[in-house]
Amino acid sequence: MPAPVLVVIAHGSRDPRHAATVHALVRRVRSLRPELRVETGFLDFNIPSVPGVLESLALEGVRDVVALPLLLTRAFHAKADIPAVLRDAPRRLRIHQAEVLGPSPLLMSALERRLSEAGLTPADKPSTGVVLASAGSTDPEAIAVIAEIAREWRQTGWCAVRPAFASAGFPRTEDAVRELRALGCKRVAVAPYVLAPGFLPDRIARGAAEADVLADVLGPAPEVARVLLERYDAARTPALAALGA
């Protein structure tokens, strides 16, 4: 019995860097598990669209799909947009929606990787404050998750960690940078908790103007690819059980 096809569902953006980063991440997933078929669909702005990908798979005779939201928190897109798109999928497809990527210890490792690549070392931790800068959301659950990640990350040895939001929430990145300065942190680093470049990540970067270090977006970090496969495996287990596999 063939394994379910993994369909990665990305938001999409007018910024070409977004799609390029999504495709780079999917290539890394394929490299980690070459036998797995992985397709990519976008909710908006980019092609192929999610409905187009699902229709093509149905026409090929594919029966089982794991739809994986390329999202870090369970906010509006995960709770409303994506389920609505999946409900309209061809009926012959058996679709299992995977959980969003975060929170995950692997994503925290990816944040650490990006800060290391930006020049920070383990010895810098006690004197460095970090701004965990996310895109932001009007969903209280998503905001609470970001705040909890910041609290947990603080326990790994950083001078302080503060959450910040590029939209729909406060503080903004620049305000969190100033707060960490006021706390007496010797240096301040901004770690974007976003997957790909775009409008809101650019706003985070502008807000980091007074910081000492700005890390890159998570993008195709190996840890992110491993989270995708973890979420796929968790979702495919009931799919295979239903088939008696």
Side-chain angles (χ1 to χ4, degrees), residues 83-175:
V85 170
L86 298 181
R87 281 194 297 270
D88 291 336
R91 291 188 175 276
R92 76 179 313 277
L93 291 177
R94 288 187 289 251
I95 300 178
H96 300 263
Q97 183 175 336
E99 291 295 328
V100 297
L101 303 186
S104 166
L106 284 169
L107 293 177
M108 198 172 294
S109 296
L111 288 165
E112 295 270 1
R113 172 188 291 274
R114 293 304 189 223
L115 287 172
S116 175
E117 291 168 350
L120 293 178
T121 69
D124 294 320
K125 277 192 166 187
S127 59
T128 302
V130 179
V131 178
L132 179 68
S134 74
S137 174
T138 57
D139 189 300
E141 178 185 349
I143 296 296
V145 166
I146 300 300
E148 180 59 27
I149 292 170
R151 283 191 291 270
E152 290 183 7
W153 202 13
R154 165 68 181 83
Q155 302 306 311
T156 66
W158 297 103
C159 174
V161 180
R162 293 290 185 271
F165 307 95
S167 69
F170 294 95
R172 295 288 192 250
T173 302
E174 54 269 34
D175 297 325

Side-chain angles (χ1 to χ4, degrees), residues 6-166:
L6 171 57
V7 176
V8 176
I9 301 179
H11 183 275
S13 171
R14 293 186 178 89
D15 189 322
R17 297 174 297 168
H18 175 90
T21 302
V22 170
H23 290 310
L25 174 58
V26 169
R27 286 194 297 271
R28 189 176 287 276
V29 172
R30 292 186 181 123
S31 74
L32 292 176
R33 197 173 294 183
E35 74 280 6
L36 175 62
R37 180 173 178 182
V38 187
E39 302 291 342
T40 307
F42 295 90
L43 291 174
D44 207 352
F45 301 118
N46 303 107
I47 56 174
S49 68
V50 177
V53 169
L54 297 176
E55 184 67 35
S56 295
L57 291 173
L59 289 173
E60 286 181 35
V62 170
R63 292 299 306 276
D64 291 282
V65 169
V66 169
L68 194 158
L70 198 60
L71 301 167
L72 294 173
T73 59
R74 272 183 50 79
F76 181 78
H77 294 302
K79 294 177 179 179
D81 284 354
I82 291 175
V85 170
L86 298 181
R87 281 194 297 270
D88 291 336
R91 291 188 175 276
R92 76 179 313 277
L93 291 177
R94 288 187 289 251
I95 300 178
H96 300 263
Q97 183 175 336
E99 291 295 328
V100 297
L101 303 186
S104 166
L106 284 169
L107 293 177
M108 198 172 294
S109 296
L111 288 165
E112 295 270 1
R113 172 188 291 274
R114 293 304 189 223
L115 287 172
S116 175
E117 291 168 350
L120 293 178
T121 69
D124 294 320
K125 277 192 166 187
S127 59
T128 302
V130 179
V131 178
L132 179 68
S134 74
S137 174
T138 57
D139 189 300
E141 178 185 349
I143 296 296
V145 166
I146 300 300
E148 180 59 27
I149 292 170
R151 283 191 291 270
E152 290 183 7
W153 202 13
R154 165 68 181 83
Q155 302 306 311
T156 66
W158 297 103
C159 174
V161 180
R162 293 290 185 271
F165 307 95

